[in-house]
Structure formats: structure tokens, C-alpha cells
Amino acid sequence: MRDEFPTVAYVRPRYSREEAVARARAFLDEALLRRTVRDFSPDPIPDEVLTLALAAAAAAPSGANMQPWKFVLVRDPAIKHRIRLAAEEEEKENYAGRMPEEWLRALAPLQTDWRKEFLETAPALIVVLKEDYGLGAGGARVTHYYVNESVGIACGFLLAALNAAGLATLTHTPSPMGFLREILDRPRNEKPFLLIPVGYPAEGCRVPDIRKKSLGEVVVLR
């Protein structure tokens, strides 16, 4: 059955041990520079940088290669303003009672609240939407597989690519996020998955003093 479908040769360099370690270490060093930022510079981002980062995200693996994602790049100040107002409206409700005390205590070290001015200050917003199903000819539904897993991997690619270009990001998940589909006029099969402000850190930007778990806490060898 496999012979019924076309294939292409897959060849890539096989690095020496030394070069493989060096490349892995360089990637780790770059990854360790990534921090969640809420204080952005309004300085514009080169168009090509955003295009290349989005191309990297679109190269992510997906269930049955359905690629169940859409990326909406928002730079229009009026649309960013609408998104901020809608997000803050939901976040006011969250901080005023939707979120349990345990959740609020967990957020406290991050020094965040319902105010989301970064949604306007950041020069770009990337809204990631997941396609729960595809739309075929005549509007027929096309089943998608492992949608959340696939879109989550694509977001990881996107964040890594933006970080590699020296940009700061924030993974923002206002809940609920239905307002994004309405503001961006997206079809019924797309649901907001993640809202990512993107830009350069503002001069004097500070971030919470937090740590990542050690490898011994997160890696199990068998």
C-alpha cells in the first residue's frame, strides 16, 4: 500500500560528534535567552523576519499532515486596540472571580494583572488559530487529527524562530478567546489557540526572577 503514494529522498548532513554537540549547545544557549516579556518597545520588526518565523512554524509536523493551523499577523493599530479592549474585559472577569485563589497565588510571582497594554505596544501580534476540521469542496467537513498537539508543536517552532531572531514574545491566553475570531473575521472551523505579542524588549525591561526546573526534575532515564 505504501508504494501507491509518491515519496522523495530525504538526505541531511550527519554531523560529527563535536559539531552535533556544538550545534545542540548553541541552540540551548539561544533558548535560555528566551523570557516572557510584557514590556515591549514599539520599534518595528523587519517584515522578512516575521515571514521567516511564520514559515518555520508552518514547517512543523502535524497529525496526518493536515496542518490544522492558521496564523493571523496583526499590525494594524486599530485592530490591536480592539483586541486589547476585548482581552482586558475578559481578564477583569478572570481576576475578579473566575480564577480560583490557588491560580491567583501561582500567578502572583509573575506580577501580572488584567491590564494588557502590551497588546497595543508590541509592534505585532500573531494570533494562532486551530482548525478543528477542514473545509473541502462545497464546504464539506474534512477530519483533522491530533489538532491540539499539532498546533502546539507549531507554536513551539514559532517561538523558537522568533527568539532566534532576537525578538521577545509573550504567550497570552485570555480566556475565553472567542472574541479573536470575531474581531479577525475568521471562519467557523477556526478557534483561537494562542495570542503572541512580538517585539523587542523595551529599554530597561525587567522580568520576574524565576527559574526553570533542573534536568533531574524533568528527565527520566530508563
Side-chain angles (χ1 to χ4, degrees):
M1 181 176 179
R2 292 174 58 132
D3 293 338
E4 298 176 13
F5 301 98
T7 62
V8 295
Y10 176 65
V11 180
R12 62 163 298 156
R14 182 167 181 171
Y15 304 113
S16 67
R17 178 187 180 281
E18 292 75 15
E19 188 173 1
V21 169
R23 291 172 67 92
R25 189 177 303 282
F27 184 85
L28 173 60
D29 290 342
E30 193 71 47
L32 291 173
L33 293 175
R34 195 214 66 83
R35 289 298 305 268
T36 294
V37 166
R38 292 178 172 83
D39 190 9
F40 289 91
S41 164
D43 294 343
I45 305 166
D47 290 348
E48 190 175 8
V49 170
L50 292 170
T51 299
L52 291 170
L54 290 166
S62 61
N65 195 38
M66 291 297 181
Q67 305 168 61
W69 45 61
K70 284 290 189 299
F71 306 95
V72 181
L73 177 60
V74 180
R75 287 182 288 193
D76 185 314
I79 298 177
K80 290 197 296 177
H81 180 65
R82 290 181 63 194
I83 289 175
R84 176 187 177 180
L85 292 181
E88 288 185 334
E89 192 64 31
E90 295 295 351
E91 294 289 59
K92 285 179 185 177
E93 295 289 334
N94 289 336
Y95 281 89
R98 281 180 184 164
M99 295 189 292
E101 285 299 319
E102 182 180 15
W103 192 347
L104 293 173
R105 286 195 299 271
L107 289 174
L110 305 182
Q111 305 170 36
T112 181
D113 59 24
W114 63 267
R115 297 171 183 83
K116 308 300 177 187
E117 63 276 358
F118 51 76
L119 293 175
E120 287 193 87
T121 307
L125 306 177
I126 298 176
V127 181
V128 183
L129 302 112
K130 65 177 184 177
E131 292 182 340
D132 281 337
Y133 57 91
L135 294 176
R141 290 171 65 117
V142 177
T143 301
H144 284 170
Y145 306 95
Y146 301 105
V147 172
N148 287 332
E149 295 86 346
S150 301
V151 179
I153 294 169
C155 288
F157 275 40
L158 177 58
L159 293 170
L162 293 168
N163 178 67
L167 294 168
T169 56
L170 168 68
T171 50
H172 186 41
T173 52
S175 180
M177 291 195 287
F179 64 86
L180 288 169
R181 184 170 64 181
E182 179 181 346
I183 291 173
L184 299 174
D185 193 27
R186 302 307 304 164
R188 67 185 185 277
N189 65 317
E190 296 179 8
K191 291 183 179 178
F193 186 85
L194 192 61
L195 172 55
I196 308 175
V198 183
Y200 300 101
E203 185 175 352
C205 174
R206 298 181 66 83
V207 295
D209 184 11
I210 57 177
R211 72 171 189 90
K212 295 297 184 183
K213 293 180 180 179
S214 68
L215 282 184
E217 293 175 281
V218 298
V219 176
V220 178
L221 302 177
R222 288 288 185 265

